[in-house]
Amino acid sequence: MTEKIDGETAPPATDAQDLRAAEEEQDVYADYGVARAFSLAASILDAGQGGLTKAEIRDRVEHYRSQSEEQSQDAWERLFSRDKDHLRSCGIAIEEPAADREDYRYRIDPADYGLPPLPLSETETLVLSRATQLWAGSRTRSWLEQASWALAGPGEPPPSSASPSVTPSSSSPAAAPAQASTALSFNLGSDEEFERLTELAALEPRQPIGFDYTGRGAQQPEPRRVVLLDFAARGHWYLIGHDLDRGARRTFRLDRVHGPIGPLRPAPQLTEPDRAAIDAADVGAALDGLAGEEDPARLLRGALEAHEGPAPKPPRLAPAAAPRRADPAHRKVERVLAMAAYLLSADGVRPSELLTRHQITPKQLLKDLLSIQQSGSFGPGQYGEFIDIHPAPPLNLDAFTQDYLVTDAPITLAMPSARTGDVLARPLTLTKPGALSLLIALNTMISAADSAVDDTAADVTADDTATDDTAATAAADASAESWVSAAESLRGKIARVLPAGLQEAATKVAAGAQARNESTAELRAAVTGGCCVELRYEDASGTITERVVEPTHVYIDGPRTYLQAWCRLAQGPRNFLGSRIRAQRPLPEEPISETARLLAQSPAEPPRPPQGSGAFDVVLRFSPAAAALADRYAPQRQRIQPDGVRIISTWFQSREALIRLCLQLGGDLTVLVPAEIREKVTMRAREELSVLSE
């Protein structure tokens, strides 16, 4: 039989008794596509400069030799080519012959394996640790931690944002640029949007591409064929392209793209009108048009149509977990090689750290460990050599979760060949998500530090006779220059090992994050300066209050900006949506409390509303075009239907807030339960349509 690259198949049993035992005890298996690619890399490295021929590779590499009698030469050639492609996508260069030759010897040069040495200065290490605080969300921070370790190199602990030895105090000259950089936190988008972004970064401009897209009001995705013109952040992420089927420029929101974005194969022949339209396309005009407000009457009619009549019966919902697509084969190989490198370079790594580091489930961690354990080769004497994992992972998920993970004993790896182990212990590469996250953070930090220096200089030069202030300015300028220089140096080191597309994408995201209004800049200055702000704020139900808050972060979540602060009125941390702040007044003479300072030192987290005694349960239906929005409302249970519709159960604190939200989303959000809210949405939509028609 021909093995599937990502299949899960049990190993062949030697007799009926072994087969019964395997069926009774083992319920998790190695990913043999991953183990095979790992075995291929290790076997070629172990052969040294002499390399291996195709025949030797097929005879020695585990998971090739076990299938050799059942697999044709052509099937094996296809498998071999895929495995080489997966390794190359991870940055492993396998030398190929100019023409197909049976006697050609495949080699991997150990000197070219992994990242080149990138020694970091103490200030660069500080910049790296600060970069993690720019991001909200554990998954993005896990990408950054992996990138940090890869840059620091084997044997160096990943920098910690809490490290007291390199963090400047709030009163030191270095504090201004450091605090300016961490005053801002942002969320690039969902995992799916990030995947789309890395796909776009790898494409050439004006390349014909294809993807499935759900436009607003559509009930299911449809295929689109466009010539890529650009992509940019304007609150949401957008792809701008020339639509080949409509003969016109179109703009697509990335959170409405379903599945991968890739080149059209075969590439279509462009017509002369298409070429002329592409050459004349004004991408800037497309981006300027994104800021326009939608027709309120159309939104109200959409909400009315969605809520009229009885609600359909909600389907059975399952516990909500973060919806996530299965990793493609090359990403699995990349993760397992990176995990093995980290384990080989450390004295021991606890399973709990691996779960957090790679943001994977216990079952996936067990599969990855088994894939490493079953990676091996057979030498000339036909003795099998496999990687030793201590303590050995069990073959059963219950045993793994109830014993192995509970014990949480440090895991170590031992390679059959110490020389090969030394090579595989090197950081393999910066993953695309990790590299992109880090470049975005560095670009944003550089911009924020420059702004902080300009603000400091402006404040002090207002009184040229203040000798102490002039000295402080000189010290701050010198420190900021060192800070920015270190960030630029680190950015340059990273850029040398990354494709240009990722660098361009990072610049666009950072620019989008900085492009906010004066009110946002004023709030960031308050966070940086550690002073209170007086707010006049309208909550989701329309109630207006005046309060003094102690700001800790400005958090940008797509098109929304939040001020995260300790609220003196509520006596607790709160999130204030920027669009609901009716007035704000900084209080520079009133510093924030120690409680707020401690909150400011922690990485920002995505806003989650507090659940009070008046909260009520709801079941909501998000159209395919708005499915990504559901994550903002803390889904407790959910179902994602084949057409892209997402139904969730959650809670709301305010009925008025939910009614307003339904009207704003114009039919993309429908209340299924409770019926009374549906009726109120219908009534309110009719009333407001009547006012508009007068």
Side-chain angles (χ1 to χ4, degrees):
M1 105 184 142
T2 301
E3 180 191 2
K4 295 181 180 179
I5 189 165
D6 295 313
E8 286 186 29
T9 55
T14 55
D15 53 39
Q17 183 178 5
D18 287 345
L19 180 59
R20 285 195 302 272
E23 290 175 344
E24 291 172 1
E25 297 177 8
Q26 184 168 5
D27 58 7
V28 178
Y29 300 94
D31 188 320
Y32 292 111
V34 173
R36 190 177 58 239
F38 195 146
S39 300
L40 176 61
S43 297
I44 297 178
L45 278 170
D46 203 37
Q49 291 301 315
L52 295 174
T53 65
K54 281 185 180 179
E56 289 171 332
I57 287 172
R58 190 173 185 185
D59 189 51
R60 292 189 186 187
V61 174
E62 177 64 1
H63 309 300
Y64 286 155
R65 71 192 310 272
S66 62
Q67 299 288 330
S68 59
E69 295 181 0
E70 304 175 16
Q71 195 173 53
S72 69
Q73 182 67 23
D74 287 345
W76 179 81
E77 290 277 3
R78 290 193 295 270
L79 202 61
F80 181 45
S81 294
R82 284 201 297 268
D83 290 343
K84 289 184 293 182
D85 288 343
H86 292 327
L87 293 176
R88 290 192 184 102
S89 73
C90 298
I92 300 174
I94 302 178
E95 300 174 16
E96 284 278 5
D100 192 19
R101 291 169 38 195
E102 290 300 321
D103 63 342
Y104 179 79
R105 308 191 75 83
Y106 290 87
R107 299 174 178 85
I108 297 175
D109 188 347
D112 293 336
Y113 186 93
L115 285 175
L118 296 171
L120 304 183
S121 68
E122 182 178 354
T123 310
E124 287 172 337
T125 302
L126 170 60
V127 170
L128 195 57
S129 74
R130 285 284 182 174
T132 62
Q133 296 187 28
L134 265 177
W135 289 96
S138 57
R139 182 161 174 78
T140 311
R141 286 203 294 269
S142 76
W143 288 331
L144 271 173
E145 287 169 3
Q146 293 176 59
S148 299
W149 171 79
L151 290 170
E156 296 292 333
S160 168
S161 59
S163 175
S165 61
V166 294
T167 302
S169 68
S170 59
S171 60
S172 73
Q179 290 171 345
S181 67
T182 54
L184 176 70
S185 296
F186 58 99
N187 177 20
L188 179 63
S190 66
D191 292 348
E192 288 75 15
E193 286 178 277
F194 212 111
E195 188 71 32
R196 301 294 79 75
L197 191 60
T198 56
E199 290 167 353
L200 288 172
L203 295 170
E204 296 293 330
R206 303 200 170 187
Q207 182 172 5
I209 60 175
F211 52 88
D212 291 337
Y213 187 76
T214 304
R216 184 153 198 176
Q219 295 305 309
Q220 59 185 8
E222 62 178 27
R224 306 299 286 265
R225 302 186 314 134
V226 306
V227 173
L228 176 63
L229 298 176
D230 204 352
F231 55 96
R234 292 295 185 273
H236 295 288
W237 267 102
Y238 293 91
L239 182 161
I240 302 96
H242 175 77
D243 194 311
L244 293 173
D245 298 313
R246 291 158 180 80
R249 187 193 69 210
R250 290 290 187 269
T251 304
F252 305 91
R253 262 176 50 175
L254 285 191
D255 62 346
R256 295 176 179 171
V257 171
H258 299 263
I261 299 173
L264 289 175
R265 295 285 189 267
Q269 294 295 320
L270 301 183
T271 65
E272 285 303 319
D274 282 332
R275 294 181 187 278
I278 291 168
D279 291 339
D282 186 349
V283 174
L287 295 175
D288 292 340
L290 297 176
E293 294 185 359
E294 297 193 63
D295 177 13
R298 190 182 70 82
L299 294 177
L300 290 170
R301 285 193 294 269
L304 180 60
E305 182 180 346
H307 288 86
E308 282 184 317
K313 183 180 179 181
R316 187 171 183 178
L317 306 181
R324 186 179 166 195
R325 296 184 304 124
D327 287 331
H330 71 275
R331 190 62 57 79
K332 295 178 185 178
V333 173
E334 183 179 55
R335 182 184 65 241
V336 170
L337 284 168
M339 184 183 296
Y342 191 57
L343 288 166
L344 287 167
S345 66
D347 293 333
V349 181
R350 297 186 183 278
S352 57
E353 181 181 348
L354 293 176
L355 287 170
T356 302
R357 181 181 180 82
H358 295 281
Q359 290 292 293
I360 54 179
T361 63
K363 182 178 181 179
Q364 186 61 61
L365 176 59
L366 178 54
K367 284 171 61 68
D368 288 351
L369 292 175
L370 292 175
S371 299
I372 294 172
Q373 187 183 52
Q374 296 186 27
S375 301
S377 63
F378 288 75
Q382 295 299 297
Y383 291 105
E385 296 180 328
F386 292 83
I387 300 173
D388 180 54
I389 299 182
H390 181 79
L395 305 179
N396 182 277
L397 184 58
D398 285 344
F400 184 71
T401 56
Q402 297 173 16
D403 184 14
Y404 200 89
L405 293 183
V406 171
T407 304
D408 206 25
I411 300 172
T412 58
L413 295 189
M415 295 290 297
S417 166
R419 180 186 62 184
T420 301
D422 290 342
V423 176
L424 291 173
R426 300 174 193 165
L428 180 63
T429 184
L430 288 174
T431 65
K432 289 184 177 65
L436 187 57
S437 303
L438 187 52
L439 281 175
I440 292 167
L442 290 174
N443 286 337
T444 306
M445 291 168 72
I446 291 167
S447 175
D450 286 341
S451 299
V453 173
D454 292 343
D455 292 344
T456 302
D459 290 343
V460 176
T461 53
D463 184 0
D464 293 332
T465 62
T467 305
D468 291 342
D469 285 350
T470 303
T473 302
D477 285 347
S479 173
E481 183 178 349
S482 173
W483 175 272
V484 175
S485 176
E488 291 175 339
S489 172
L490 182 57
R491 181 176 62 183
K493 291 177 179 179
I494 298 169
R496 287 196 293 271
V497 297
L498 289 177
L502 282 180
Q503 301 173 44
E504 180 184 0
T507 301
K508 291 177 179 178
V509 183
Q514 295 290 340
R516 298 285 160 164
N517 55 34
E518 292 182 5
S519 297
T520 303
E522 187 176 58
L523 294 175
R524 285 183 58 191
V527 176
T528 303
C531 69
C532 294
V533 177
E534 186 178 58
L535 298 181
R536 180 176 172 82
Y537 187 74
E538 181 179 356
D539 65 18
S541 64
T543 303
I544 295 178
T545 57
E546 294 184 356
R547 60 184 78 198
V548 173
V549 301
E550 303 176 11
T552 58
H553 299 93
V554 173
Y555 174 62
I556 295 175
D557 182 16
R560 298 185 172 195
T561 299
Y562 292 88
L563 174 65
Q564 299 187 326
W566 177 267
C567 178
R568 292 183 177 178
L569 180 65
Q571 282 298 296
R574 290 293 185 268
N575 298 289
F576 300 96
L577 183 60
S579 61
R580 294 190 189 138
I581 297 177
R582 300 295 172 242
Q584 61 189 49
R585 184 170 67 91
L587 305 174
E589 304 302 321
E590 194 165 344
I592 65 174
S593 65
E594 186 61 28
T595 300
R597 289 188 186 280
L598 292 174
L599 287 173
Q601 291 172 10
S602 302
E605 295 294 340
R608 291 290 182 265
Q611 186 173 9
S613 57
F616 60 97
D617 294 332
V618 297
V619 178
L620 307 176
R621 178 192 183 276
F622 290 83
S623 74
L629 295 178
D631 289 325
R632 292 181 180 170
Y633 302 100
Q636 307 300 301
R637 301 180 71 83
Q638 70 174 0
R639 177 172 296 279
I640 301 176
Q641 298 181 337
D643 60 0
V645 167
R646 190 171 175 189
I647 299 174
I648 70 168
S649 65
T650 185
W651 51 267
F652 263 70
Q653 195 69 38
S654 163
R655 285 168 169 75
E656 178 63 22
L658 179 54
I659 293 169
R660 288 188 174 197
L661 183 63
C662 291
L663 299 177
Q664 291 166 4
L665 292 181
D668 278 336
L669 170 63
T670 307
V671 177
L672 302 183
V673 176
E676 63 172 284
I677 300 294
R678 288 179 60 85
E679 295 170 0
K680 290 182 179 179
V681 172
T682 301
M683 184 183 304
R684 185 76 63 84
R686 287 186 178 130
E687 291 173 355
E688 296 192 13
L689 279 170
S690 176
V691 172
L692 287 175
S693 64
E694 292 178 356

